[in-house]
Amino acid sequence: MVYLIYHSNAEHEAKVNIASGLINGYFDITRHTNEDWQKMIAKAPYEFFDLKGEKAHITFTTAELRQHTSNAVRLIEVYDSIVLMQHQLMGLYKYDRVPTGRLYYRTNIKPGVYMHATGEATEYAPSTLQYIANHSHLRGAHIWGPAHETGHINQTRPGLMWIGMTEVSVNIYSQHVQTSFGNPSRLQTENISGFGNRYEKAFTQIIAPELAHGAHSDVFCKLVPFWQLQMYYAKARNKPDFYKDLHEQIRLNPDPPSDGLCQIEFVKLVCDIAGEDLTEFFEDWGFFRPIDQDINDYGTRRLTVTQQQIDETKAYIAQKGYPLPNGAVQYITDGNLGAFQANNPVITGTANRTGHMLTMNGWHNVAVFEVYHNNQIIHISPRSSFSVPSLPQTITVIAVGVNGSRHTVAF
């Protein structure tokens, strides 16, 4: 395939003679209609075909486009929207940093390819086009793949991509696109062995045992606090510019010299932009727990956060005199977001136990239920009915309100 492109704003007239070859054509959303598309794709002579949007450029295999793309206008609009939403979240529009080019989506026909991002494009196997070249499928359950790969291109590094974060911070963007299209949150709905969803697993395996954030192996569990910040500030507290401002400060500030200091700097910036003391939030999520561990993340580096660095960061936040957040931010989920927005007091209910299953009836405005045995948290669930593996006979359950209040559950 040969492309002829003018890299100039001036008007040009040029005559080009290609001794052999055929004009393949391309679809341009600013010039062509869906009727044009049907004619173009029907007679396209080459195995790849291009669609040019305002923010996205697609080069997919012609055979799959003929089979799966009935509406090229709608398809390129979805890809344009993916790029737009992520650039908005990154603050590129607010701070006049919008790139002038387009993000490139292309088919890779090599064996073994599924979906991935390179330094210059995102690539997809022909077999995936039945979902991502069909606008109806794409804007629904299959938006995650292209949104995720687009997120890799857009990751702000190293300030939001220290070691262990490559497959974590990318999904801030995936979650944002997925839910903005009206789809349910993957963290909220995805079935996880032994847990009702990813929130329950993250609460139980990071917060309950007081684990260092970087030490957990599940990238989706590690994603939870980053998505919680978006839900709490942008949605529950009506601060839609939170991540926009955070990205800008990361861009403006000098890059910290180590991965551990990137994590520490992130904590400081979040508190400064929120204007609140989030020490408890970051304590619970393991950002304030020492770690000195090799992390394998497309290559191995050591993540080190010392107690001295933690103490200095806590002192930095304390001297700012910020107020505490008005709620249990560490327990916000897509499922209880409405309760956090209303911020009403807890309405108590009843509870019963059947084997390992605990069921709470009539409780309202509860963020999570914490299950204790011998004064140690053994399970944390944001759901009203949940199973606790190896549940001891003697337990205490505390209902934590969205406003941070705590109530003992009677069985």
Side-chain angles (χ1 to χ4, degrees), residues 87-104:
H87 285 176
Q88 287 173 331
L89 186 69
M90 297 165 67
L92 299 184
Y93 282 86
K94 179 176 180 178
Y95 291 101
D96 194 25
R97 296 181 182 272
V98 182
T100 56
R102 293 170 177 79
L103 202 136
Y104 192 30

Side-chain angles (χ1 to χ4, degrees), residues 108 119 127 145 293-294 347 366:
N108 187 325
S127 61
Q293 181 177 326
D294 284 339
I347 298 174
V366 172

Side-chain angles (χ1 to χ4, degrees), residues 90-246:
M90 297 165 67
L92 299 184
Y93 282 86
K94 179 176 180 178
Y95 291 101
D96 194 25
R97 296 181 182 272
V98 182
T100 56
R102 293 170 177 79
L103 202 136
Y104 192 30
Y105 302 85
R106 66 187 177 203
T107 310
N108 187 325
I109 60 175
K110 293 179 181 179
V113 169
Y114 179 60
M115 297 183 185
H116 64 250
T118 72
E120 59 184 20
T122 71
E123 298 188 332
Y124 308 88
S127 61
T128 68
L129 268 59
Q130 61 184 305
Y131 307 114
I132 67 168
N134 179 311
H135 74 277
S136 296
H137 291 320
L138 177 62
R139 63 178 295 114
H142 297 281
I143 195 75
W144 185 276
H148 175 91
E149 305 308 341
T150 303
H152 276 308
I153 300 293
N154 287 328
Q155 275 177 294
T156 304
R157 57 205 75 186
L160 252 177
M161 206 183 88
W162 56 89
I163 192 68
M165 289 285 291
T166 304
E167 296 296 340
V168 178
S169 60
V170 60
N171 286 328
I172 301 170
Y173 311 114
S174 312
Q175 279 275 127
H176 177 61
V177 171
Q178 181 184 51
T179 55
S180 295
F181 268 96
N183 299 300
S185 160
R186 184 169 178 174
L187 294 177
Q188 181 70 29
T189 61
E190 197 167 55
N191 291 328
I192 305 300
S193 177
F195 299 94
N197 58 25
R198 202 75 68 163
Y199 287 113
E200 189 173 349
K201 181 180 180 182
F203 295 157
T204 300
Q205 293 189 348
I206 299 178
I207 292 180
E210 300 182 356
L211 186 71
H213 180 266
H216 202 277
S217 60
D218 187 326
V219 296
F220 289 98
C221 288
K222 292 169 71 175
L223 166 67
V224 170
F226 296 92
W227 183 239
Q228 286 180 318
L229 291 171
Q230 170 68 1
M231 287 191 294
Y232 186 76
Y233 287 107
K235 299 181 181 181
R237 295 296 174 261
N238 196 29
K239 295 181 178 180
D241 287 358
F242 173 80
Y243 260 118
K244 299 175 188 178
D245 297 340
L246 179 60

Side-chain angles (χ1 to χ4, degrees), residues 375-391:
N375 296 320
Q376 296 292 320
I377 302 181
I378 60 171
H379 198 91
I380 305 173
S381 179
R383 301 180 304 133
S384 59
S385 181
F386 54 95
S387 176
V388 182
S390 304
L391 183 64

